[in-house]
Amino acid sequence: MIAGMAKTLPRNADVAEQLELLSDILELEGEAAYRLLAYRRAAALVREQPGLVAELALEGKAKELPGIGKTIEGKIVEIVNEGEIRALTKHKALVPPDVVEFTRLPGLGPKTARKIWQELGVTTLADLKAAAKAERLRVLPGIGAKLEERIVKELSGKRKAPEEVRPLLGVGLPAVQAVVTVLRAHPAALEVSDAGSVRRRKETFRDLDIIATASEPAALTDYFTKLRWVEKVAAKGESKATVVSNDGLRFDLRVVPAGLYGNLLQHFTGSKHHNVALREDAVRVGFSVSENGVKDVESGEVFKTGSEEALYEFLGYQYIPPELRENLGELEAARNGELPELVELSDLRGDLHAHSTWSSDGKNSIEEMAAEAKSRGYSYLAITDHSHYLRDGRLEAQAREIEALNETLGRFKLLKGIEVNIRADGSLDVDDETLAGRDWVVASLHTAFDKNPTERVISAMENPNVDCIGHLTARKINRRGPADIDLSRVFETALATKTFLEINSQPDRLDLRDAHARAAGEAGVLLSISSDAHSTRALAYPELGVGQARRAWLTKEQVLNTRTWPQIKKLLG
DNA sequence: GCCGTTTTCGGCCCGACTGTTTTCAGTCG
């Protein structure tokens, strides 16, 4: 690329999408499965990278990522130079676009879609529905009345939203924790745990998984389906049930034999990619791993365990915390005994981003916020009300209130903070002299997210009064995508200017997100985990932020507010 | 197409469920 040439590189999501589409199309053409698997793995990997994989590909460094080789790297370069993978352009012309859509229908996979297309000449969704209605699909071997019926039903329903909305962790986590608590109290229950993506603290989820052992499995399952908030029982057997709650959340309970609890908890915690990689590793040393145990292929002996820890140990790994189980390097690190000791919620000593009624959207007074922070065991709380509500002498009045309260709070300290806006031109909406009088200054983007966001953040960091950047990309999960921030430049500037970055714990922000926070940590940037609370209740949000920090492989040392306020002050220089 | 604590060639996770079948392929997680 020519130096200085402003060329917009494709986002990782776009690269991944092209790789996935290519594999879908090739599969419909009958291509060998393992090439497709390689594309799909590469796509999944690309999605989870913090930096632009396209940039790495241009430098010839994308193939250092496990799962990307010379060929796929070349395809990514094609996306940069020509907008699309050449093979994708070519093969798109060979397979009717609707045939790819066929496979999105539940129960209809690539093999069946291919047969319908090739042998019946059906190429559009409308034709497919008509053929199913006219019972013309059942002439094909392997297709019967049931599938025809299903196709008609699926295609008759109102068009589903193009992308399914996944509920937020902040909604699912308390919900699943409440159900786990209720089930544990049942006399038949022995062990009960959350599982699945929520246990891994992934930012959104599809359903909520619970694993249990019980003296009487049927009794526990039955109790589960009769809890008062259950609106619908979608499936129910002796040891497995699925229910939908009155707020639309899907809960899955599996009651498993005690002797297999470790194997099954591991299996149902996932992620899928982690489990696949773990099983591949095991195959190489002669073990076959499944939810039913670890089988020694040669002797036929099966290792079953009630403990997840024992399972990882048996396979030759350190115990891998659920938050790390994404096949992003944790297996290798665990094999070598190099996993980091992850930060925990109880490590937090204070909160550096919170609002009070001085911000018009705040629900509680400073006094109430302080009492709640104190009761959480914190030794400090930064009140960072929005700058625009603190004009015309209100800032001074607020400061006096904080000072007066500090007289009454013993060793607990309220910090005079402020959250300033980074304007569209990169300047701050509060003058330097005012900022210099505050203990703690957070600067955030709140508007014009597509207007030079990187430059604006950098110019804010270069102001010596700014201590921390709030919610860096300003995304709102399911509502607004992230601003296009050049992370490596931001990290570089953060280190040079001694500015911290935040993991904002608001359920719909979680910003920095996991991959970004991991990259920040690797770059040596310290991160604060803060609530951005606008009410006393929201001071509990850092549980979610700590989840993201753990997914980002962060240790206690890499998190700023595991320190006391005097220690932080020293770092501010 | 990718990759190596046997390997640069010859493998590539595992099982449950479903609908279609008389023994299994395809789909799903």
Side-chain angles (χ1 to χ4, degrees), chain A residues 136-310:
Chain A
R136 282 191 284 120
L137 297 180
R138 65 182 65 175
V139 300
L140 295 173
I143 299 184
K146 283 264 174 65
L147 186 60
E148 285 179 340
E149 217 173 281
R150 200 165 177 184
I151 289 171
V152 173
K153 197 176 146 221
E154 284 292 331
L155 291 177
S156 299
K158 55 178 192 298
R159 288 296 285 168
K160 267 204 285 186
E163 232 170 314
E164 152 199 38
V165 171
R166 292 167 58 97
L168 301 175
L169 174 66
V171 172
L173 185 59
V176 80
Q177 285 171 339
V179 178
V180 165
T181 304
V182 165
L183 292 179
R184 273 187 189 144
H186 190 271
L190 300 172
E191 282 172 289
V192 185
S193 172
D194 55 329
S197 69
V198 170
R199 184 167 182 238
R200 304 197 312 277
R201 301 295 188 266
K202 199 173 153 74
E203 63 190 32
T204 59
F205 64 91
R206 198 187 59 236
D207 48 26
L208 300 167
D209 294 305
I210 301 171
I211 297 286
T213 57
S215 55
E216 289 172 79
L220 189 64
T221 310
D222 187 58
Y223 175 65
F224 172 66
T225 59
K226 289 177 178 159
L227 292 168
R228 63 181 156 66
W229 45 264
V230 169
E231 186 153 293
K232 185 179 148 198
V233 179
K236 186 186 171 188
E238 290 236 329
S239 62
K240 187 181 152 180
T242 301
V243 303
V244 181
S245 72
N246 53 14
D247 39 13
L249 303 179
R250 293 182 71 88
F251 289 82
D252 255 343
L253 170 68
R254 285 166 223 262
V255 184
V256 307
L260 274 171
Y261 181 68
N263 304 81
L264 280 148
L265 181 58
Q266 195 284 325
H267 173 76
F268 287 114
T269 297
S271 67
K272 187 179 145 193
H273 292 299
H274 172 84
N275 286 351
V276 169
L278 176 129
R279 289 165 180 200
E280 282 177 353
D281 273 0
V283 165
R284 283 183 216 118
V285 291
F287 291 122
S288 170
V289 178
S290 82
E291 58 268 48
N292 300 323
V294 182
K295 189 166 158 189
D296 185 319
V297 176
E298 206 157 300
S299 70
E301 223 171 297
V302 179
F303 175 76
K304 300 177 181 185
T305 175
S307 139
E308 221 184 22
E309 285 83 354

Side-chain angles (χ1 to χ4, degrees), chain A residues 216-515:
Chain A
E216 289 172 79
L220 189 64
T221 310
D222 187 58
Y223 175 65
F224 172 66
T225 59
K226 289 177 178 159
L227 292 168
R228 63 181 156 66
W229 45 264
V230 169
E231 186 153 293
K232 185 179 148 198
V233 179
K236 186 186 171 188
E238 290 236 329
S239 62
K240 187 181 152 180
T242 301
V243 303
V244 181
S245 72
N246 53 14
D247 39 13
L249 303 179
R250 293 182 71 88
F251 289 82
D252 255 343
L253 170 68
R254 285 166 223 262
V255 184
V256 307
L260 274 171
Y261 181 68
N263 304 81
L264 280 148
L265 181 58
Q266 195 284 325
H267 173 76
F268 287 114
T269 297
S271 67
K272 187 179 145 193
H273 292 299
H274 172 84
N275 286 351
V276 169
L278 176 129
R279 289 165 180 200
E280 282 177 353
D281 273 0
V283 165
R284 283 183 216 118
V285 291
F287 291 122
S288 170
V289 178
S290 82
E291 58 268 48
N292 300 323
V294 182
K295 189 166 158 189
D296 185 319
V297 176
E298 206 157 300
S299 70
E301 223 171 297
V302 179
F303 175 76
K304 300 177 181 185
T305 175
S307 139
E308 221 184 22
E309 285 83 354
L311 177 62
Y312 279 104
E313 191 186 342
F314 181 81
L315 291 171
Y317 301 105
Q318 272 180 293
Y319 177 71
I320 303 179
E323 295 91 336
L324 297 185
R325 300 182 196 169
E326 299 291 346
N327 193 30
L328 293 170
E330 73 279 8
L331 287 165
E332 196 189 350
R335 212 169 25 235
N336 300 331
E338 291 166 353
L339 285 180
E341 198 170 317
L342 301 178
V343 63
E344 292 178 27
L345 185 60
S346 59
D347 291 329
L348 301 188
R349 309 286 287 268
D351 193 329
L352 291 166
H353 188 163
H355 298 264
S356 73
T357 42
W358 286 87
S359 298
S360 78
D361 52 354
K363 301 279 186 292
N364 292 95
S365 67
I366 297 178
E367 187 174 8
E368 289 164 338
M369 296 296 281
E372 178 66 24
K374 211 174 159 181
S375 80
R376 293 184 62 81
Y378 290 160
S379 61
Y380 54 93
L381 174 70
I383 298 296
T384 52
D385 281 312
H386 292 290
S387 49
H388 47 278
Y389 298 120
L390 297 172
R391 311 227 188 273
D392 306 322
R394 285 170 56 82
L395 183 80
E396 293 72 17
Q398 189 235 36
R400 283 194 296 276
E401 182 177 324
I402 290 174
E403 282 160 17
L405 280 167
N406 269 334
E407 297 296 313
T408 70
L409 289 167
R411 300 181 63 181
F412 181 90
K413 187 167 169 64
L414 280 169
L415 304 176
K416 282 177 268 177
I418 190 165
E419 182 176 15
V420 295
N421 279 335
I422 304 173
R423 293 195 186 112
D425 64 1
S427 65
L428 302 177
D429 70 346
V430 175
D431 64 82
D432 286 347
E433 194 188 337
T434 306
L435 294 182
R438 304 298 285 188
D439 296 317
W440 178 252
V441 176
V442 178
S444 317
L445 294 175
H446 286 112
T447 51
F449 307 109
D450 52 357
K451 212 170 161 198
N452 305 320
T454 304
E455 303 303 332
R456 288 158 64 199
V457 165
I458 286 177
S459 102
M461 287 193 288
E462 282 167 349
N463 183 318
N465 298 306
V466 170
D467 302 308
C468 184
I469 299 297
H471 48 71
L472 179 63
T473 73
R475 72 161 177 176
K476 291 270 183 95
I477 300 173
N478 291 335
R479 284 182 27 221
R480 181 171 75 212
D484 194 3
I485 301 272
D486 183 335
L487 294 172
S488 51
R489 285 186 58 206
V490 167
F491 298 160
E492 215 172 279
T493 312
L495 290 172
T497 60
K498 290 191 185 173
T499 311
F500 305 107
L501 297 178
E502 168 188 81
I503 294 179
N504 186 297
S505 303
Q506 291 279 326
D508 63 344
R509 286 196 186 270
L510 294 175
D511 183 10
L512 306 179
R513 57 165 286 205
D514 47 14

